Amino acid sequence: DIQMTQSPSSLSASVGDRVSITCRASERIGKYLNWYQQKPGKPPRLLIYAASSLQGRVPSRFRGSGSGTDFTLTISSLQPDDFATYYCHQSHTLPYNFGPGTKVDI
Amino acid sequence: EVQLVQSGGGLVQTGGSLRLSCAASGFTFRGYGMSWVRQAPGKAPEWVAIISGSGRSTYYADSVKGRFVISRDNVKNTLYLQLNTLRVDDTAVYYCAKDTSPTGADDDPVWDSWGQGTLVAVSS
């Protein structure tokens, strides 16, 4: 199985900060990497697919990059609505594992 | 507007069974692969099972293989998950999720719409 790791596991930031979250796959997965945002009591929300493609109606302050084994989600200017947990997810190989998550709070 | 409305779930004892349903609307259901994803309290989501648009191919996580069955009715526009031989570690919120791609494939799943989630609690 492909294992996904994320760093940091949590971070504290302020409105307006630039935030970066790293995701690493245990094997090369090309660009089959997706990012989801989740708030308490809600299902995950797709932000980025295929490593760098922005899902419709997702603000442009979210940016994904990377390929192979190393990927990054960057929020250019953190907004109050962005405080949430972020998960990477590989869609390259069964089983389609998620990373452990990064919680972004104040 | 895409809608996925879940039903089923609840409290069950170890070894019991449940069936989850996910009623879809707002898109051509048979054209899309569908998945079930679960999330235990305080944990990351875990992919459980996937089914192609036609329903002819299915795949499962090792943790549920042989116990859970994913199926779909493309006339009723409904996705199902039959949960059998339930264990305490199956306790989670279960979500149905729709793939972004209209190919109906069962690979490279990217989920752009999700159900509201339904809690399955297994007690010993």
Side-chain angles (χ1 to χ4, degrees):
Chain A
D1 295 2
I2 296 175
Q3 304 304 317
M4 308 300 293
T5 57
Q6 288 182 234
S7 61
S9 57
S10 65
L11 65 91
S12 294
S14 300
V15 172
D17 284 354
R18 180 183 179 91
V19 167
S20 291
I21 298 168
T22 297
C23 175
R24 177 164 288 175
S26 61
E27 302 173 25
R28 296 183 67 84
I29 58 171
K31 303 196 80 163
Y32 289 87
L33 191 284
N34 315 296
W35 290 97
Y36 292 87
Q37 176 194 65
Q38 190 177 30
K39 297 182 179 179
K42 299 292 188 181
R45 173 197 178 199
L46 178 65
L47 299 176
I48 301 285
Y49 63 96
S52 58
S53 295
L54 193 67
Q55 173 66 356
R57 290 183 287 183
V58 173
S60 59
R61 62 180 179 273
F62 291 93
R63 180 176 173 270
S65 62
S67 67
T69 60
D70 294 315
F71 302 86
T72 302
L73 174 69
T74 301
I75 309 172
S76 59
S77 177
L78 202 65
Q79 298 302 301
D81 191 49
D82 301 338
F83 292 97
T85 301
Y86 294 83
Y87 296 99
C88 61
H89 162 251
Q90 68 85 13
S91 53
H92 183 271
T93 305
L94 289 162
Y96 301 119
N97 290 331
F98 287 82
T102 296
K103 185 176 182 181
V104 177
D105 58 21
I106 300 174
Chain B
E1 179 196 0
V2 172
Q3 284 202 320
L4 299 172
V5 179
Q6 297 182 224
S7 59
L11 178 63
V12 64
Q13 289 193 320
T14 303
S17 297
L18 281 174
R19 189 175 85 158
L20 308 183
S21 299
C22 172
S25 61
F27 65 103
T28 305
F29 182 66
R30 66 181 179 275
Y32 291 83
M34 298 289 295
S35 291
W36 288 97
V37 176
R38 69 183 180 183
Q39 189 168 29
K43 302 295 187 182
E46 175 190 16
W47 168 78
V48 171
I50 191 168
I51 187 167
S52 61
S54 66
R56 283 194 287 268
S57 65
T58 59
Y59 297 94
Y60 298 90
D62 284 348
S63 57
V64 307
K65 199 174 296 181
R67 300 187 300 121
F68 291 8
V69 179
I70 188 172
S71 63
R72 63 191 299 159
D73 184 329
N74 286 345
V75 174
K76 294 183 177 179
N77 290 345
T78 301
L79 176 73
Y80 302 100
L81 186 67
Q82 178 69 38
L83 295 72
N84 300 320
T85 318
L86 281 161
R87 310 188 305 217
V88 171
D89 63 357
D90 293 318
T91 295
V93 173
Y94 285 71
Y95 296 101
C96 59
K98 167 191 165 290
D99 195 0
T100 55
S101 171
T103 64
D106 54 26
D107 59 354
D108 185 22
V110 179
W111 301 298
D112 62 354
S113 297
W114 296 67
Q116 81 275 20
T118 187
L119 176 63
V120 172
V122 185
S123 68
S124 57

